[in-house]
Amino acid sequence: MKKISLKSLYVLAVKALRRLARAVGLLEYLEKKRDNRLALWVRSLFSIYDVNDMNHLDLPWWPFAVIGKVENFIAERQGEIRVFEFGAGASTLWLARRCETVISVEHDESFVRVLQPLLKELKNVTLHGIPPRSMTSPLIASARPGYQGYDFSDYVGSISREKELFDLIVVDGRARNDCLRASVEKLAPGGMLLFDNTDRERYSQALQEVPWRRQDFSGLTPALPLPSKSTVFIKPGN
C-alpha cells in the first residue's frame, strides 16, 4: 500500500474544509474582507495547489511582502515591463494583467495543459512547455526529489535564446541555481530579479554569486500555512 505524505494529507484536508467553508459562507465573507491582508491570507489557505482559485483571488504564490515590492516596481514603470518566468502558475496570470509582455517556461506538460485555457484570453503571454530530457548523466540536473536522471539544459537555456533583455525575471521552477546564473546575463539595467523560496539551503551558494544588492522578504504567503522567503535583486542602471 502506497504511503500518503503529510503534505498530501494536508491538501486533502484543506479541500474537504473548503467545501464546508463555502457551504457556510465563510469563503464569501473572507473575500469581502480581502483588503485586510490577514483575511486574504486565510481565504487563500483554501487555494492550496489550485491555480484556478489563486487566479480568482488575483494572487501569485509569493510572500505578501514581495508581492508589494513587485507591484510597486511595475507601477513605477506604468506596466511597461518585459517579464521572463521560470515556472508558470498563478504568478503568470497575475503578471500578465499588469505587464506588457510575459514569457513563461514550464517543465510539467500536464500543468501546461491546465494553464492554457486560463491564458487564452491574455494575448501578451507566451507559455512554453519545456520538459526535461531523460539522461544517464544530466548536464543540468534538478535537486528536487523525483527528478534524478533528467536533464534541464533546454529549460534553463530558454532564456539565453531570447534576443532581448528583460525588466523582470522570476526564478520559481526547476534547476533554479542554473536558471539564476543564466538570468543574470538577461536582466536589463535597472531590472528586478525575483528568486522564490530562498529559505532552502540548496540555493544559498548560487544566491551569493549574484553581484547586485540583495533584499530578502519573509512572512505570510498565499495558500501556505507557514511563512516563506523570497529574494529580490536590483541590477544597477536606469
Side-chain angles (χ1 to χ4, degrees):
M1 182 176 175
K2 187 176 180 180
K3 186 177 179 181
I4 300 177
S5 68
L6 288 175
K7 181 189 288 187
S8 297
L9 286 173
Y10 172 76
V11 173
L12 289 172
V14 168
K15 288 184 177 180
L17 286 171
R18 178 174 159 180
R19 290 192 289 270
L20 176 61
R22 186 177 297 281
V24 301
L26 177 59
L27 297 190
E28 183 180 1
Y29 171 80
L30 291 170
E31 287 182 25
K32 289 179 180 178
K33 301 287 185 178
R34 60 177 298 134
D35 289 341
N36 180 292
R37 178 175 292 184
L38 182 59
L40 182 57
W41 172 69
V42 172
R43 169 62 181 86
S44 75
L45 291 176
F46 295 99
S47 306
I48 186 72
Y49 294 131
D50 187 338
V51 68
N52 286 281
D53 203 41
M54 289 287 282
N55 181 42
H56 168 67
L57 296 176
D58 191 28
L59 287 172
W61 204 8
W62 311 323
F64 281 103
V66 86
I67 292 173
K69 179 72 175 181
V70 175
E71 205 155 29
N72 288 337
F73 178 81
I74 294 169
E76 287 170 1
R77 290 153 181 79
Q78 299 180 324
E80 296 180 1
I81 300 284
R82 282 177 46 80
V83 181
F84 191 96
E85 181 186 41
F86 287 105
S91 56
T92 312
L93 295 150
W94 186 87
L95 288 164
R97 294 191 186 97
R98 293 162 171 82
C99 300
E100 183 178 318
T101 304
V102 178
I103 297 173
S104 186
V105 294
E106 172 59 42
H107 77 285
D108 187 336
E109 291 182 296
S110 62
F111 191 51
V112 169
R113 290 192 289 272
V114 170
L115 286 173
Q116 283 173 333
L118 299 174
L119 294 170
K120 66 180 181 180
E121 301 299 327
L122 300 171
K123 305 304 181 184
N124 59 334
V125 182
T126 302
L127 174 62
H128 298 293
I130 308 180
R133 297 174 184 266
S134 178
M135 190 178 294
T136 304
S137 300
L139 300 173
I140 295 179
S142 171
R144 188 179 180 90
Y147 286 92
Q148 294 82 6
Y150 287 94
D151 179 66
F152 283 82
S153 296
D154 292 340
Y155 176 88
V156 172
S158 59
I159 192 169
S160 300
R161 293 189 289 273
E162 295 291 331
K163 294 181 180 179
E164 298 185 57
L165 300 179
F166 294 91
D167 306 295
L168 172 61
I169 299 175
V170 179
V171 179
D172 193 15
R174 296 291 172 265
R176 293 191 199 183
N177 289 338
D178 291 281
C179 290
L180 177 61
R181 294 179 181 115
S183 297
V184 167
E185 300 300 321
K186 297 299 292 186
L187 190 66
M192 173 184 286
L193 197 161
L194 166 60
F195 194 107
D196 200 20
N197 305 120
T198 45
D199 42 354
R200 299 172 185 171
E201 181 59 31
R202 64 180 180 268
Y203 302 141
S204 59
Q205 180 57 46
L207 289 163
Q208 290 172 18
E209 296 171 9
V210 179
W212 310 319
R213 181 170 62 91
R214 171 177 177 168
Q215 292 179 276
D216 294 325
F217 296 86
S218 301
L220 293 178
T221 301
L224 292 182
L226 298 174
S228 69
K229 180 179 177 182
S230 294
T231 294
V232 163
F233 296 95
I234 302 294
K235 183 175 181 177
N238 299 334

